[in-house]
Every structure is written in C-alpha cells, then in structure tokens.
Coordinates of all heavy atoms in Angstrom, one line a residue:
P19 N 51.8 168.1 91.7 CA 51.8 167.4 90.4 C 52.9 166.3 90.4 O 52.8 165.4 89.5 CB 52.1 168.5 89.4 CG 51.6 169.7 90.1 CD 51.8 169.5 91.5
L20 N 54.0 166.4 91.2 CA 55.0 165.5 91.1 C 54.6 164.1 91.6 O 55.0 163.1 91.0 CB 56.2 166.0 92.0 CG 57.5 165.1 92.0 CD1 58.1 165.0 90.6 CD2 58.5 165.7 92.9
F21 N 53.7 164.0 92.5 CA 53.3 162.8 93.1 C 51.8 162.5 92.7 O 51.0 162.0 93.5 CB 53.4 162.7 94.6 CG 54.8 162.9 95.1 CD1 55.2 164.0 95.8 CD2 55.8 162.0 94.7 CE1 56.5 164.2 96.2 CE2 57.1 162.2 95.1 CZ 57.5 163.3 95.9
T22 N 51.5 162.8 91.5 CA 50.1 162.5 91.1 C 49.8 161.1 91.1 O 50.6 160.2 90.7 CB 49.9 163.0 89.6 OG1 50.8 164.1 89.3 CG2 48.5 163.5 89.4
G23 N 48.6 160.7 91.6 CA 48.2 159.3 91.7 C 48.5 158.7 93.0 O 48.0 157.6 93.3
L24 N 49.3 159.4 93.8 CA 49.5 158.8 95.2 C 48.5 159.4 96.2 O 47.9 160.5 95.9 CB 50.9 159.2 95.7 CG 52.1 158.6 95.0 CD1 53.4 159.2 95.5 CD2 52.1 157.1 95.1
P25 N 48.2 158.7 97.2 CA 47.3 159.2 98.2 C 47.8 160.6 98.8 O 49.0 160.8 98.8 CB 47.2 158.2 99.3 CG 47.7 156.9 98.6 CD 48.6 157.3 97.5
A26 N 46.9 161.5 99.2 CA 47.3 162.8 99.6 C 48.2 162.8 100.8 O 49.2 163.5 100.8 CB 46.0 163.6 99.9
D27 N 48.0 161.9 101.8 CA 48.9 161.8 102.9 C 50.3 161.4 102.6 O 51.3 161.9 103.1 CB 48.3 160.9 104.0 CG 47.0 161.4 104.7 OD1 46.8 162.7 104.6 OD2 46.3 160.6 105.2
L28 N 50.4 160.4 101.7 CA 51.7 159.9 101.3 C 52.4 161.0 100.4 O 53.6 161.2 100.6 CB 51.6 158.6 100.4 CG 52.9 158.0 99.9 CD1 53.8 157.7 101.1 CD2 52.6 156.8 99.1
S29 N 51.7 161.6 99.6 CA 52.2 162.7 98.8 C 52.8 163.8 99.7 O 53.9 164.3 99.5 CB 51.2 163.3 97.9 OG 51.7 164.4 97.1
R30 N 52.0 164.2 100.7 CA 52.5 165.3 101.6 C 53.7 164.8 102.4 O 54.7 165.6 102.5 CB 51.3 165.6 102.6 CG 51.6 166.8 103.5 CD 50.4 167.2 104.3 NE 49.3 167.6 103.5 CZ 48.2 167.1 103.4 NH1 47.9 166.0 104.2 NH2 47.2 167.5 102.6
A31 N 53.7 163.6 102.9 CA 54.9 163.1 103.6 C 56.1 163.0 102.7 O 57.2 163.4 103.2 CB 54.5 161.7 104.2
L32 N 56.0 162.6 101.5 CA 57.1 162.5 100.6 C 57.6 163.9 100.3 O 58.9 164.2 100.2 CB 56.8 161.8 99.3 CG 56.7 160.3 99.4 CD1 56.1 159.7 98.1 CD2 58.0 159.7 99.7
S33 N 56.7 164.9 100.1 CA 57.1 166.3 99.9 C 57.9 166.8 101.0 O 59.0 167.5 100.8 CB 55.9 167.1 99.6 OG 55.2 166.7 98.5
I34 N 57.5 166.6 102.2 CA 58.2 167.1 103.4 C 59.5 166.4 103.5 O 60.5 167.1 103.8 CB 57.3 166.8 104.7 CG1 56.1 167.7 104.7 CG2 58.1 167.1 106.0 CD1 55.1 167.4 105.7
L35 N 59.6 165.1 103.3 CA 60.8 164.4 103.4 C 61.9 164.9 102.4 O 63.0 165.1 102.7 CB 60.6 162.9 103.2 CG 61.8 162.0 103.3 CD1 62.4 162.0 104.7 CD2 61.5 160.6 102.9
I36 N 61.4 165.1 101.1 CA 62.3 165.5 100.1 C 62.8 167.0 100.4 O 64.0 167.3 100.3 CB 61.7 165.5 98.7 CG1 61.5 164.0 98.3 CG2 62.5 166.2 97.7 CD1 60.7 163.8 97.1
T37 N 61.9 167.8 100.9 CA 62.3 169.2 101.2 C 63.3 169.2 102.4 O 64.3 169.9 102.3 CB 61.0 170.0 101.6 OG1 60.1 170.0 100.5 CG2 61.3 171.4 101.9
L38 N 63.0 168.5 103.4 CA 63.9 168.4 104.5 C 65.3 167.9 104.1 O 66.3 168.4 104.6 CB 63.3 167.6 105.7 CG 64.1 167.5 106.9 CD1 64.3 168.9 107.5 CD2 63.4 166.6 107.9
T39 N 65.3 166.9 103.3 CA 66.6 166.3 102.9 C 67.4 167.3 102.0 O 68.6 167.5 102.3 CB 66.3 165.1 102.0 OG1 65.6 164.1 102.8 CG2 67.6 164.5 101.5
L40 N 66.7 168.1 101.1 CA 67.4 169.1 100.3 C 67.9 170.2 101.2 O 69.1 170.7 101.0 CB 66.5 169.6 99.2 CG 66.2 168.6 98.1 CD1 65.2 169.2 97.1 CD2 67.5 168.4 97.3
I41 N 67.1 170.7 102.1 CA 67.5 171.8 103.0 C 68.7 171.4 103.8 O 69.7 172.1 104.0 CB 66.4 172.3 103.8 CG1 65.4 173.0 102.9 CG2 66.8 173.2 104.9 CD1 64.1 173.4 103.6
T42 N 68.6 170.1 104.4 CA 69.7 169.6 105.2 C 71.0 169.5 104.4 O 72.1 169.9 104.8 CB 69.4 168.3 105.8 OG1 68.2 168.5 106.6 CG2 70.5 167.7 106.7
Y43 N 70.9 169.0 103.2 CA 72.1 168.8 102.3 C 72.7 170.2 102.0 O 73.9 170.3 102.2 CB 71.6 168.1 101.0 CG 72.7 168.1 100.0 CD1 73.7 167.1 100.1 CD2 72.8 169.0 99.0 CE1 74.7 167.0 99.1 CE2 73.8 169.0 98.0 CZ 74.8 168.0 98.1 OH 75.8 168.0 97.2
M44 N 71.9 171.2 101.6 CA 72.4 172.5 101.3 C 73.0 173.1 102.6 O 74.1 173.8 102.5 CB 71.3 173.3 100.7 CG 70.9 172.9 99.4 SD 69.5 173.7 98.6 CE 69.6 175.4 99.1
H45 N 72.4 172.9 103.7 CA 73.0 173.5 104.9 C 74.4 172.9 105.2 O 75.3 173.6 105.6 CB 72.1 173.3 106.1 CG 72.7 173.6 107.4 ND1 72.8 174.9 107.8 CD2 73.2 172.9 108.4 CE1 73.4 174.9 109.0 NE2 73.6 173.7 109.4
V46 N 74.5 171.6 105.1 CA 75.8 171.0 105.4 C 76.8 171.4 104.4 O 77.9 171.7 104.8 CB 75.6 169.4 105.5 CG1 76.9 168.7 105.5 CG2 74.8 169.0 106.6
V47 N 76.5 171.4 103.1 CA 77.5 171.7 102.1 C 77.9 173.2 102.2 O 79.0 173.5 102.3 CB 77.0 171.3 100.7 CG1 77.9 171.9 99.6 CG2 76.9 169.8 100.6
F48 N 76.9 174.1 102.1 CA 77.2 175.5 102.0 C 77.4 176.2 103.3 O 78.1 177.2 103.4 CB 76.0 176.2 101.3 CG 75.8 175.8 99.9 CD1 74.8 175.1 99.5 CD2 76.8 176.2 98.9 CE1 74.6 174.7 98.1 CE2 76.6 175.8 97.6 CZ 75.5 175.1 97.2
G49 N 76.9 175.6 104.4 CA 77.0 176.3 105.7 C 78.1 175.7 106.6 O 78.5 176.3 107.6
E50 N 78.5 174.5 106.3 CA 79.5 173.8 107.1 C 80.8 173.4 106.4 O 81.9 173.8 106.7 CB 78.9 172.6 107.8 CG 77.8 173.0 108.8 CD 77.2 171.9 109.6 OE1 77.9 170.8 109.6 OE2 76.1 172.0 110.1
Q51 N 80.6 172.6 105.3 CA 81.8 172.0 104.7 C 82.5 173.0 103.8 O 83.8 173.1 103.9 CB 81.4 170.8 103.8 CG 81.0 169.6 104.6 CD 80.7 168.4 103.8 OE1 80.2 168.6 102.6 NE2 80.8 167.2 104.3
M52 N 81.9 173.8 103.0 CA 82.6 174.8 102.2 C 83.3 175.8 103.0 O 84.5 176.1 102.7 CB 81.6 175.5 101.2 CG 81.2 174.6 100.0 SD 80.1 175.4 98.9 CE 80.8 176.9 98.5
P53 N 82.7 176.4 104.0 CA 83.5 177.4 104.8 C 84.7 176.8 105.5 O 85.7 177.4 105.6 CB 82.5 177.9 105.8 CG 81.1 177.7 105.2 CD 81.3 176.5 104.4
K54 N 84.5 175.5 106.0 CA 85.6 174.9 106.7 C 86.7 174.6 105.7 O 87.9 174.9 106.0 CB 85.1 173.6 107.3 CG 86.2 172.8 108.0 CD 85.7 171.4 108.5 CE 85.5 170.5 107.3 NZ 85.1 169.2 107.7
L55 N 86.4 174.1 104.5 CA 87.5 173.8 103.6 C 88.2 175.0 103.1 O 89.4 175.0 102.9 CB 86.9 173.0 102.4 CG 86.4 171.6 102.8 CD1 85.7 170.9 101.6 CD2 87.6 170.7 103.3
A56 N 87.4 176.1 102.9 CA 88.0 177.4 102.4 C 88.9 177.9 103.5 O 90.0 178.4 103.2 CB 86.9 178.4 102.1
A57 N 88.5 177.8 104.8 CA 89.3 178.3 105.9 C 90.6 177.5 106.0 O 91.7 178.0 106.4 CB 88.5 178.3 107.2
L58 N 90.5 176.2 105.8 CA 91.7 175.4 105.9 C 92.7 175.7 104.7 O 93.9 175.6 104.9 CB 91.3 173.9 105.8 CG 90.6 173.3 107.0 CD1 90.1 171.9 106.8 CD2 91.6 173.3 108.2
Q59 N 92.2 176.1 103.6 CA 93.1 176.4 102.4 C 93.7 177.8 102.5 O 94.8 178.0 102.1 CB 92.3 176.2 101.1 CG 92.0 174.8 100.8 CD 91.2 174.6 99.5 OE1 91.3 175.5 98.7 NE2 90.6 173.5 99.3
D60 N 93.0 178.7 103.0 CA 93.5 180.1 103.1 C 92.9 180.8 104.3 O 92.1 181.7 104.2 CB 93.0 180.8 101.8 CG 93.8 182.1 101.6 OD1 94.7 182.4 102.4 OD2 93.5 182.8 100.6
S61 N 93.4 180.4 105.5 CA 92.8 180.8 106.7 C 93.0 182.3 107.0 O 92.0 182.9 107.5 CB 93.5 180.0 107.9 OG 94.9 180.2 107.9
E62 N 94.1 182.9 106.6 CA 94.2 184.3 106.9 C 93.2 185.2 106.1 O 92.6 186.1 106.6 CB 95.6 184.8 106.6 CG 95.9 186.2 106.9 CD 97.3 186.6 106.6 OE1 98.2 185.8 106.3 OE2 97.6 187.8 106.8
W63 N 93.1 184.9 104.8 CA 92.2 185.6 103.9 C 90.7 185.4 104.4 O 90.0 186.4 104.5 CB 92.3 185.2 102.5 CG 91.4 186.0 101.6 CD1 91.6 187.2 101.0 CD2 90.0 185.6 101.2 NE1 90.6 187.6 100.3 CE2 89.6 186.6 100.4 CE3 89.2 184.5 101.5 CZ2 88.3 186.6 99.8 CZ3 87.9 184.5 100.9 CH2 87.5 185.5 100.1
V64 N 90.3 184.2 104.7 CA 89.0 183.9 105.2 C 88.7 184.6 106.5 O 87.7 185.2 106.7 CB 88.7 182.4 105.3 CG1 87.4 182.1 106.0 CG2 88.8 181.8 103.9
G65 N 89.7 184.6 107.4 CA 89.5 185.3 108.7 C 89.3 186.8 108.5 O 88.5 187.4 109.2
L66 N 90.1 187.4 107.7 CA 90.0 188.8 107.4 C 88.7 189.2 106.7 O 88.0 190.2 107.0 CB 91.2 189.4 106.6 CG 92.5 189.3 107.3 CD1 93.6 189.7 106.4 CD2 92.5 190.3 108.5
W67 N 88.2 188.3 105.8 CA 87.0 188.6 105.1 C 85.8 188.5 106.1 O 84.9 189.3 106.0 CB 86.9 187.5 104.0 CG 85.7 187.8 103.1 CD1 85.6 188.7 102.1 CD2 84.5 187.0 103.1 NE1 84.4 188.6 101.5 CE2 83.7 187.6 102.0 CE3 84.0 186.0 103.8 CZ2 82.4 187.1 101.8 CZ3 82.7 185.5 103.5 CH2 82.0 186.1 102.5
V68 N 85.8 187.4 106.9 CA 84.7 187.2 107.8 C 84.7 188.3 108.9 O 83.6 188.7 109.4 CB 84.8 185.8 108.5 CG1 83.8 185.7 109.6 CG2 84.5 184.8 107.4
A69 N 85.8 188.8 109.3 CA 86.0 189.8 110.4 C 85.2 191.1 110.0 O 84.6 191.7 110.9 CB 87.4 190.1 110.7
R70 N 85.1 191.4 108.7 CA 84.4 192.6 108.4 C 82.9 192.5 108.7 O 82.3 193.4 109.3 CB 84.5 192.9 106.9 CG 85.9 193.2 106.4 CD 86.0 193.5 105.0 NE 85.6 192.3 104.2 CZ 85.6 192.2 102.9 NH1 86.1 193.2 102.2 NH2 85.2 191.1 102.3
F71 N 82.3 191.4 108.4 CA 80.9 191.2 108.7 C 80.7 191.1 110.2 O 79.6 191.5 110.7 CB 80.4 189.9 108.0 CG 80.5 190.0 106.5 CD1 81.5 189.4 105.8 CD2 79.6 190.8 105.8 CE1 81.6 189.5 104.4 CE2 79.7 190.9 104.4 CZ 80.7 190.3 103.7
I72 N 81.6 190.4 110.9 CA 81.4 190.3 112.4 C 81.5 191.7 113.0 O 80.7 192.0 113.9 CB 82.5 189.4 112.9 CG1 82.2 188.0 112.5 CG2 82.5 189.5 114.5 CD1 83.3 187.0 112.9
N73 N 82.4 192.6 112.5 CA 82.5 193.9 113.0 C 81.2 194.7 112.8 O 80.7 195.4 113.6 CB 83.7 194.7 112.4 CG 85.0 194.2 113.1 OD1 85.0 193.8 114.2 ND2 86.0 194.3 112.3
V74 N 80.6 194.6 111.6 CA 79.4 195.3 111.2 C 78.3 194.8 112.1 O 77.5 195.6 112.7 CB 79.0 195.1 109.7 CG1 77.6 195.6 109.4 CG2 80.1 195.9 108.9
F75 N 78.2 193.5 112.3 CA 77.1 192.9 113.1 C 77.3 193.3 114.5 O 76.3 193.7 115.2 CB 77.2 191.3 113.0 CG 76.2 190.6 113.9 CD1 74.9 190.5 113.4 CD2 76.5 190.1 115.1 CE1 73.9 189.9 114.2 CE2 75.6 189.4 115.8 CZ 74.3 189.3 115.4
A76 N 78.5 193.4 115.1 CA 78.7 193.8 116.4 C 78.3 195.3 116.6 O 77.7 195.6 117.6 CB 80.2 193.6 116.8
R77 N 78.6 196.1 115.6 CA 78.2 197.5 115.7 C 76.7 197.7 115.7 O 76.2 198.6 116.4 CB 78.9 198.4 114.6 CG 80.4 198.5 114.8 CD 81.0 199.3 113.7 NE 82.4 199.3 113.7 CZ 83.1 200.3 114.2 NH1 82.5 201.4 114.7 NH2 84.4 200.2 114.2
L78 N 76.1 196.9 114.9 CA 74.6 197.1 114.7 C 73.9 196.5 115.9 O 72.8 197.1 116.3 CB 74.1 196.3 113.5 CG 74.5 196.9 112.1 CD1 74.1 196.0 111.0 CD2 73.9 198.3 112.0
T79 N 74.4 195.4 116.5 CA 73.7 194.8 117.6 C 74.2 195.3 119.0 O 73.5 195.0 120.0 CB 73.8 193.3 117.6 OG1 75.1 192.9 117.6 CG2 73.1 192.8 116.3
G80 N 75.3 196.0 119.0 CA 75.8 196.5 120.3 C 74.8 197.2 121.2 O 74.7 196.9 122.4
P81 N 74.1 198.2 120.6 CA 73.2 198.9 121.5 C 72.1 198.0 122.1 O 71.7 198.1 123.3 CB 72.5 199.9 120.6 CG 73.5 200.2 119.5 CD 74.2 198.8 119.3
L82 N 71.6 197.1 121.3 CA 70.6 196.1 121.8 C 71.2 195.2 122.9 O 70.5 195.0 123.9 CB 70.0 195.3 120.7 CG 69.0 194.2 121.1 CD1 67.8 194.8 121.7 CD2 68.7 193.3 119.9
I83 N 72.4 194.8 122.7 CA 73.0 193.9 123.7 C 73.3 194.7 125.0 O 73.1 194.2 126.1 CB 74.3 193.3 123.1 CG1 74.0 192.3 122.0 CG2 75.2 192.6 124.2 CD1 75.2 191.8 121.2
R84 N 73.8 195.9 124.9 CA 74.0 196.8 126.1 C 72.6 197.0 126.8 O 72.6 197.0 128.0 CB 74.6 198.1 125.7 CG 76.1 197.9 125.4 CD 76.8 199.3 125.3 NE 76.4 200.1 124.2 CZ 76.8 199.9 122.9 NH1 77.7 199.0 122.7 NH2 76.4 200.7 121.9
L85 N 71.6 197.2 126.0 CA 70.2 197.4 126.7 C 69.8 196.2 127.4 O 69.4 196.2 128.6 CB 69.2 197.8 125.6 CG 67.8 197.8 126.1 CD1 67.6 199.0 127.1 CD2 66.8 198.0 124.9
M86 N 70.0 195.0 126.8 CA 69.6 193.7 127.4 C 70.5 193.5 128.7 O 69.9 193.0 129.7 CB 69.7 192.6 126.4 CG 68.7 192.7 125.3 SD 68.9 191.6 123.9 CE 68.6 190.0 124.7
N87 N 71.8 193.7 128.6 CA 72.6 193.5 129.7 C 72.3 194.4 130.9 O 72.2 194.1 132.0 CB 74.1 193.6 129.3 CG 74.6 192.4 128.6 OD1 74.1 191.3 128.7 ND2 75.7 192.6 127.8
G88 N 72.0 195.7 130.5 CA 71.7 196.7 131.5 C 70.4 196.3 132.2 O 70.2 196.5 133.4
S89 N 69.4 195.9 131.4 CA 68.1 195.5 132.0 C 68.2 194.3 132.9 O 67.7 194.3 134.0 CB 67.1 195.1 130.8 OG 66.9 196.2 130.0
S90 N 69.0 193.3 132.5 CA 69.2 192.2 133.4 C 69.9 192.6 134.7 O 69.5 192.1 135.7 CB 70.1 191.1 132.6 OG 69.4 190.7 131.5
S91 N 70.9 193.4 134.6 CA 71.6 193.9 135.8 C 70.7 194.7 136.7 O 70.7 194.5 137.9 CB 72.8 194.8 135.4 OG 73.8 194.0 134.7
W92 N 69.9 195.5 136.1 CA 68.9 196.3 136.8 C 68.0 195.5 137.6 O 67.7 195.6 138.8 CB 68.2 197.3 135.9 CG 67.3 198.2 136.6 CD1 67.6 199.4 137.2 CD2 65.9 198.1 136.9 NE1 66.5 200.0 137.8 CE2 65.4 199.2 137.6 CE3 64.9 197.1 136.5 CZ2 64.1 199.4 138.0 CZ3 63.6 197.3 136.9 CH2 63.2 198.4 137.6
F93 N 67.4 194.4 136.9 CA 66.4 193.5 137.6 C 67.1 192.7 138.7 O 66.6 192.5 139.8 CB 65.8 192.6 136.6 CG 64.7 193.2 135.8 CD1 64.8 193.5 134.5 CD2 63.5 193.6 136.5 CE1 63.8 194.1 133.8 CE2 62.5 194.2 135.8 CZ 62.6 194.5 134.4
L94 N 68.4 192.3 138.4 CA 69.1 191.5 139.5 C 69.4 192.4 140.7 O 69.3 191.9 141.8 CB 70.4 190.9 138.9 CG 70.2 189.7 138.0 CD1 71.5 189.4 137.3 CD2 69.7 188.5 138.8
R95 N 69.8 193.7 140.5 CA 70.0 194.5 141.6 C 68.7 194.7 142.4 O 68.7 194.8 143.7 CB 70.5 195.9 141.1 CG 72.0 195.9 140.8 CD 72.6 197.3 140.6 NE 71.9 198.1 139.6 CZ 72.1 198.1 138.3 NH1 73.0 197.3 137.8 NH2 71.4 198.9 137.5
R96 N 67.6 194.8 141.7 CA 66.3 195.0 142.5 C 66.0 193.8 143.3 O 65.3 193.8 144.3 CB 65.2 195.3 141.5 CG 65.3 196.5 140.7 CD 65.3 197.7 141.6 NE 65.8 199.0 141.0 CZ 67.1 199.3 140.9 NH1 68.0 198.5 141.3 NH2 67.4 200.5 140.4
M97 N 66.5 192.6 142.9 CA 66.3 191.4 143.6 C 67.3 191.1 144.7 O 67.3 190.1 145.4 CB 66.3 190.2 142.6 CG 65.1 190.2 141.6 SD 65.2 189.0 140.3 CE 65.5 187.5 141.1
G98 N 68.3 192.1 144.9 CA 69.3 191.9 145.9 C 70.6 191.4 145.5 O 71.5 191.2 146.3
Y99 N 70.8 191.1 144.2 CA 72.1 190.7 143.8 C 73.0 191.9 143.4 O 72.5 192.9 143.1 CB 72.0 189.8 142.5 CG 71.3 188.5 142.9 CD1 69.9 188.3 142.6 CD2 72.0 187.4 143.3 CE1 69.2 187.2 142.9 CE2 71.3 186.2 143.7 CZ 70.0 186.1 143.4 OH 69.3 184.9 143.7
K100 N 74.3 191.7 143.4 CA 75.2 192.8 143.0 C 75.5 192.8 141.6 O 75.6 191.9 140.9 CB 76.5 192.7 143.9 CG 76.2 193.0 145.3 CD 77.5 193.0 146.1 CE 77.2 193.4 147.5 NZ 78.3 193.6 148.3

C-alpha cells in the first residue's frame, strides 16, 4: 500500500532497498557504534557485563566445540596426520 500506483517491479525494488537500508542503519548504530562508544566511556563495566554472556555462551557451546575438534582430530589421524 505504500507504493500504490507504481509498477509492481519498481514497488518491490523500492521495498527491498528501504528494508535493506533500515536494517543496515540499525546494525551499524546498535551493533557497532553504540557498543563501541559505551566501551570507550566505561570500559571496565562494559567488559565485566559482556564477560558474563561470553562465559555462558562458552559453557553452552563447549561440548559441541569439543565434539567438533575431536571429530576433526580423529579424521586427520585416520588420514595419517598427527
């Protein structure tokens, strides 16, 4: 409804362009600039805050990572590598 009266192809292209622009803008602002500026202003607090999530992530994914590393090592040993 936003592009009523425009040809369907142009309407679709404009929709994609606007969506991509908004997603890119939000990614840059919320995913890159805000964390960087926050860390520059209060690096110790931000580091300690982020460390909690990194520790949880490491504990949750640790078994999967060990399985993948073990599988890779097992296949390499079967191929003659140490």
Side-chain angles (χ1 to χ4, degrees):
L20 183 61
F21 300 117
T22 332
L24 292 176
D27 290 341
L28 179 60
S29 176
R30 187 173 297 119
L32 285 174
S33 298
I34 292 170
L35 179 66
I36 290 171
T37 302
L38 183 59
T39 301
L40 286 173
I41 290 172
T42 301
Y43 173 81
M44 290 172 41
H45 171 74
V46 170
V47 170
F48 294 109
E50 295 181 20
Q51 288 182 333
M52 283 178 55
K54 178 184 71 175
L55 294 173
L58 288 173
Q59 289 181 18
D60 196 1
S61 58
E62 183 177 352
W63 182 86
V64 171
L66 291 172
W67 186 78
V68 169
R70 293 182 300 188
F71 297 103
I72 292 174
N73 283 334
V74 170
F75 181 77
R77 288 178 190 262
L78 291 174
T79 60
L82 177 63
I83 291 171
R84 283 191 295 279
L85 173 67
M86 292 169 66
N87 284 339
S89 298
S90 298
S91 295
W92 185 83
F93 281 112
L94 283 172
R95 282 193 305 276
R96 295 299 162 277
M97 294 170 51
Y99 294 96
K100 291 186 178 186

